[in-house]
Amino acid sequence: MSARPRSQAMPSRRTFLGAAAATSAALAVDLSLGAPPARAADSAYVMGYFTESPNGVGTDYGLHLAVSTDSLNWTPLNQNNPVVTPTAGAGGLRDPFIMRRREGGFVVLATDLKGTDWGYNSQTIHVWDSADLRTFTNYRRPHLHDMVTHSWAPEAFWDASRNQYGILYSAVNSSGHNVLMVNYTGDFTTVSAPQVFFDPGYDVIDGDMAVGVNGVNYLYFKSSSTGGLVGARSTSLNPGSFTPFSTSVAHGGTEAPTLVKSLTSATWYLWGDTYTPNGVFYAWQTTNLAAGTWTPVDQKLYTHPVNAKHCTIAPITATEYDGLLARWGAPAWNRLKSYNYPARYVRHADYLARIDTYPFDPYTDSQWKLVPGLADASGVSFQSVSHPTRYLRHYDYQLRLDADDGTTAFAQDATFHRVAGLADASWSSFRSHNYPTRYIRHSGYALRTDPVSTATDRADATFSVGH
């Protein structure tokens, strides 16, 4: 899917429910508004998402998971395959949401929709319970309303005044446009009658909340009025009490706001998912939610999972982080991102190596196994995931993808030594094994092995190795 019609808003998600109350970098949180009880300090994050790629090669409507220690750079789990998929309703999901329940464990909510049939009406959502996001139990589909419409991008928040959770979602009611609805529940099985939670008079979807931040509740949403992400706020959690206040942020067509509080600083991040082009996340930051203004985060600083769509981000403990990696495993492959063109990744096309703007298909052309160097095990060789008999090698100083012919010359041409990034020591550069004055760099977006002397050369020769 590339982009849905602009007149139709797309589902999305998420919430940060005062989890910073459990961290040394805690926010000032008003416990009367429903912050979770204290627990072992969170030190990492989990992301949930589904996947779509431009030509559908990487599309999957199940729940995918990734983990991060900084909320910016992500390691997809289970080789970026789903960890659970709905077995009823449409047989697929969009817009997953993960929340830690007050009584322990997690609940996972998701839109009942497989694919891009925006006319598909479902009065139910997908729900699972999970003790640790390693197993998923008690799959069910609570019925939220009787309107002939959808139930997009469900999220949840704790409302202490009601002693219940609120389930927030987008639906078209009698107003004729999408509003944010709410049902209340204690168990995510039996729910109250629906109410309108937020209706500014125009189409809104993808509500995401931060509850109890210095006594204020924040609701971010996709606004059809501005075409971007807008915040509203209220000192209560009552339906109808929220008032828009922030400036709108967008990068192309942007939806699916996700608010994330840093566990180590005063910074808040606002993630957004674009649909023009489809499948790219952008991030903004602020140290003051009350100001309602956001600064773009440099794309050098964050990398989201390949093909990820409509994410949810929740804080987890170090034990949970380790447990997720142990259960699902980190990828056997890597991607290489350009330092000075961070929207571009190293890939092969027609067996030539280059950096191209993400997203693209086949996306596997940008996945590499970094194996011990064919000529020197202390070095590294780049084995293609999509063509596993082929490796990146230089030939006439141009990098290309060739089959290993078993010769010493090939092994040397395909071996590089990873060193600290020439433009940024926290990144990486790759020196040729048999031409040690030359490094992998891009020139006109094509990859070559060249001598490096200028600042531009050094930036062209610097890459991040991630997933």
Side-chain angles (χ1 to χ4, degrees):
M1 196 276 284
S2 56
R4 72 183 183 292
R6 278 185 173 270
S7 61
Q8 287 184 300
M10 215 150 118
S12 182
R13 94 260 65 261
R14 276 89 313 234
T15 186
F16 178 87
L17 296 174
T23 73
S24 59
L27 295 174
V29 176
D30 184 346
L31 296 180
S32 69
L33 291 173
R39 59 182 178 276
D42 292 320
S43 60
Y45 309 80
V46 63
M47 175 188 284
Y49 54 98
F50 68 99
T51 59
E52 285 181 339
S53 67
N55 298 331
V57 176
T59 296
D60 186 279
Y61 297 105
L63 174 66
H64 296 66
L65 296 178
V67 291
S68 172
T69 57
D70 64 3
S71 81
L72 294 173
N73 295 286
W74 295 89
T75 299
L77 302 177
N78 200 32
Q79 306 301 317
N80 209 32
N81 294 316
V83 299
V84 68
T85 300
T87 56
L93 64 76
R94 298 180 73 99
D95 321 321
F97 174 73
I98 298 171
M99 185 184 74
R100 190 187 299 276
R101 296 181 65 165
R102 292 177 63 80
E103 53 271 39
F106 298 88
V107 65
V108 179
L109 315 179
T111 301
D112 176 19
L113 176 61
K114 181 179 183 179
T116 58
D117 180 5
W118 311 123
Y120 176 81
N121 294 321
S122 178
Q123 293 78 35
T124 65
I125 59 173
H126 301 299
V127 178
W128 291 267
D129 296 322
S130 180
D132 49 18
L133 302 178
R134 297 167 58 146
T135 59
F136 299 86
T137 60
N138 195 22
Y139 171 61
R140 57 210 185 269
R141 292 191 303 134
H143 187 95
L144 300 183
H145 59 81
D146 294 319
M147 299 180 291
V148 183
T149 183
H150 44 258
S151 309
W152 279 349
E155 295 206 5
F157 61 92
W158 175 252
D159 188 331
S161 67
R162 291 176 171 80
N163 199 34
Q164 288 189 306
Y165 297 98
I167 301 175
L168 193 67
Y169 58 96
S170 309
V172 177
N173 70 348
S174 58
S175 70
H177 59 257
N178 271 289
V179 301
L180 297 181
M181 304 290 295
V182 67
N183 299 64
Y184 295 99
T185 183
D187 57 9
F188 295 95
T189 300
T190 302
V191 302
S192 71
Q195 301 178 52
V196 175
F197 189 79
F198 179 66
D199 178 9
Y202 48 83
D203 202 69
V204 293
I205 61 168
D206 299 353
D208 184 69
M209 292 184 67
V211 173
V213 183
N214 296 320
V216 179
N217 306 303
Y218 293 89
L219 168 65
Y220 270 77
F221 56 92
K222 161 66 183 300
S223 166
S224 65
S225 176
T226 68
L229 310 181
V230 175
R233 61 188 173 190
S234 172
T235 55
S236 86
L237 289 170
N238 292 332
S241 67
F242 283 79
T243 302
F245 79 103
S246 78
T247 57
S248 179
V249 296
H251 195 293
T254 306
E255 58 198 7
T258 303
L259 288 165
V260 184
K261 174 65 176 61
S262 168
L263 296 172
T264 58
S265 75
T267 302
W268 283 84
Y269 296 104
L270 175 63
W271 290 74
D273 184 7
T274 70
Y275 53 90
T276 52
N278 186 49
V280 181
F281 290 173
Y282 290 93
W284 295 264
Q285 63 184 359
T286 185
T287 56
N288 183 9
L289 275 185
T293 56
W294 297 86
T295 302
V297 180
D298 189 335
Q299 278 189 286
K300 289 189 182 77
L301 301 179
Y302 63 95
T303 303
H304 65 79
V306 62
N307 302 326
K309 289 286 298 175
H310 286 210
C311 73
T312 174
I313 298 174
I316 56 175
T317 66
T319 298
E320 290 165 339
Y321 175 90
D322 292 341
L324 285 168
L325 280 171
R327 170 66 177 88
W328 301 111
W333 42 264
N334 290 98
R335 294 189 296 158
L336 277 71
K337 180 165 71 172
S338 167
Y339 176 77
N340 50 355
Y341 290 87
R344 292 178 176 262
Y345 289 77
V346 173
R347 57 90 58 96
H348 62 82
D350 296 326
Y351 301 119
L352 297 177
R354 53 181 294 108
I355 56 169
D356 276 351
T357 301
Y358 170 88
F360 46 75
D361 267 334
Y363 70 93
T364 51
D365 289 353
S366 65
Q367 293 177 319
W368 307 93
K369 290 185 177 181
L370 275 61
V371 300
L374 299 181
D376 182 345
S378 69
V380 63
S381 292
F382 297 93
Q383 181 183 19
S384 169
V385 166
S386 57
H387 294 72
T389 63
R390 293 177 177 261
Y391 296 79
L392 278 186
R393 59 88 61 94
H394 64 80
Y395 189 88
D396 287 339
Y397 305 127
Q398 185 178 40
L399 252 67
R400 57 194 232 184
L401 193 70
D402 283 351
D404 182 2
D405 62 10
T407 65
T408 298
F410 182 93
Q412 292 184 342
D413 289 350
T415 299
F416 304 88
H417 294 272
R418 184 175 177 176
V419 299
L422 299 180
D424 184 329
S426 67
W427 290 48
S428 296
S429 293
F430 297 91
R431 177 172 52 83
S432 169
H433 175 70
N434 50 353
Y435 289 87
T437 63
R438 292 176 176 263
Y439 293 80
I440 295 176
R441 60 87 58 91
H442 62 80
S443 177
Y445 304 132
L447 289 190
R448 301 176 45 82
T449 53
D450 283 341
V452 171
S453 58
T454 69
T456 297
D457 294 343
R458 290 191 289 273
D460 289 348
T462 301
F463 304 88
S464 75
V465 179
H467 301 294

